[in-house]
Amino acid sequence: MYHIISIRDFERSDLDHLLDRAQEFDTGNYRPGLLDDKLLALLFFEPSTRTRMSFAAAMGRLGGKSISVDSVEASSIVKGETLADTIRVISSYVDAVVLRHPKEGAARLASEFTSVPVINAGDGAGQHPSQTLLDLYTIRQSMPIDGIDVGLLGDLRYGRTAHSLALALSLYDVTLHTVAPGGLEMPANITLELRERGMEVIEHPSVEEAIRELDVLYVTRIQRERFPDSASYYDVASSYRITTDLLDDVKERLMILHPLPRAGEIDPAVDCTPYARYFEQARNGVPVRMALLHEVMK
Ligand code: NCD
């Protein structure tokens, strides 16, 4: 695979191959210096901690180097430069580009203006494929993905991690349970697509109703920055929160995941329970991104 833009471009065998490679990187089973002659550009036109740092860490671990643009304000975009021009120029300096951008479709557009691989690190409310790979990787370390029940909780309308993950899980034998505040449900076209791919999708009014059936609960933050105004954000803010008393009768193997950052959706008291796996999930960003970077630049 050349560009990594959307989970829609992947078949199950592509995902499984990358997850197997990530496992090799995770266990140190690789030759040092695999990308030591390569240079990566990190273009982040939206805030990021984990994604940017773990791509840089992954590149460094493979012996490569990275250069970055960390904000719109610090780039020529403020002078009116188009994304197409920015990408055309930057891709002539490097061997691959990682792009995060507030507009859905930006990574696909960028890939049309460059001869080097583009990795989508989040395009607005669109997709976030590298996050999905580390989500799958984290699940697969504890249980086979086939046959499980996964709950997606939170902002399923604007949450790109939820969109990518749901589409990826539809390539496995997974039952999907969704719980979203009013107005933040999964877009109808995505739910339709999941069902057309043969996935059972069950909508629940509350997490309490679904949680005992789940093997994985994937919690997401309300994507405040995508809301048209702050009043509509405050209408739904704080409408759900995972606390320890919700976890009384859950399956023993339940994993609670979250792409992070969290903004109140998970009580920190949950961190000390065996169900909390989100910090381990974030850590898995490095071996998974090593596998991705190696795949597109080898
Ligand atoms: C996510 C994102 O940027 O979509 N963050 C991440 O990459 N781990 C989730 C979020 O911001 O809520």
Side-chain angles (χ1 to χ4, degrees), residues 2-4 35-44 50-70 87 89-100 114 116-121 130 285-286 288-298:
Y2 198 67
H3 302 293
I4 308 288
L35 295 183
D36 64 2
D37 53 345
K38 303 290 187 196
L39 190 56
L40 176 71
L42 299 168
L43 294 188
F44 278 74
R50 272 152 292 273
T51 305
R52 186 159 58 86
M53 301 285 285
S54 62
F55 266 115
M59 193 61 185
R61 297 252 181 233
L62 291 167
K65 295 199 167 50
S66 22
I67 56 174
S68 65
V69 170
D70 302 331
I87 289 288
V89 173
I90 288 177
S91 60
S92 70
Y93 303 157
V94 295
D95 301 292
V97 172
V98 177
L99 175 70
R100 171 169 289 187
T114 166
V116 302
V118 173
I119 300 178
N120 181 9
S130 67
V286 176
V288 165
R289 289 179 169 120
M290 287 171 81
L292 265 179
L293 291 170
H294 183 247
E295 190 68 25
V296 302
M297 279 186 277
K298 67 187 176 197

Side-chain angles (χ1 to χ4, degrees), residues 44 46-52 100 121-124 127-128 130-131 134 158-162 218 220-223 225-226 258-262 289:
F44 278 74
E46 270 194 341
S48 172
T49 307
R50 272 152 292 273
T51 305
R52 186 159 58 86
R100 171 169 289 187
D123 61 324
Q127 289 270 312
H128 195 346
S130 67
Q131 176 70 43
L134 73 92
Y158 297 116
R160 55 197 175 198
T161 61
Y218 193 89
T220 64
R221 168 183 75 88
I222 293 186
Q223 306 284 296
E225 64 275 33
R226 315 256 177 256
H258 192 307
L260 303 176
R262 60 177 156 180
R289 289 179 169 120

Side-chain angles (χ1 to χ4, degrees), residues 13-30 34 58 61-62 130-138 140-141 281 283-295:
S13 56
D14 302 317
L15 297 175
D16 288 339
H17 166 71
L18 283 164
L19 298 176
D20 290 344
R21 292 293 289 143
Q23 183 77 50
E24 290 169 19
F25 285 115
D26 207 358
T27 50
N29 180 17
Y30 62 100
L34 280 173
R61 297 252 181 233
L62 291 167
S130 67
Q131 176 70 43
T132 293
L133 278 161
L134 73 92
D135 300 338
L136 295 177
Y137 184 78
T138 309
R140 212 184 71 157
Q141 278 188 314
Q281 180 189 1
R283 179 215 153 266
N284 289 336
V286 176
V288 165
R289 289 179 169 120
M290 287 171 81
L292 265 179
L293 291 170
H294 183 247
E295 190 68 25

Side-chain angles (χ1 to χ4, degrees), residues 204-247:
H204 298 267
S206 68
V207 66
E208 286 81 351
E209 193 200 90
I211 198 162
R212 277 176 225 91
E213 292 177 58
L214 303 178
D215 300 292
V216 176
L217 172 62
Y218 193 89
V219 187
T220 64
R221 168 183 75 88
I222 293 186
Q223 306 284 296
R224 182 178 189 167
E225 64 275 33
R226 315 256 177 256
F227 278 63
D229 53 67
S230 53
S232 49
Y233 168 73
Y234 285 111
D235 282 347
V236 284
S238 315
S239 55
Y240 56 95
R241 182 172 165 88
I242 303 301
T243 52
T244 50
D245 46 301
L246 264 179
L247 303 172

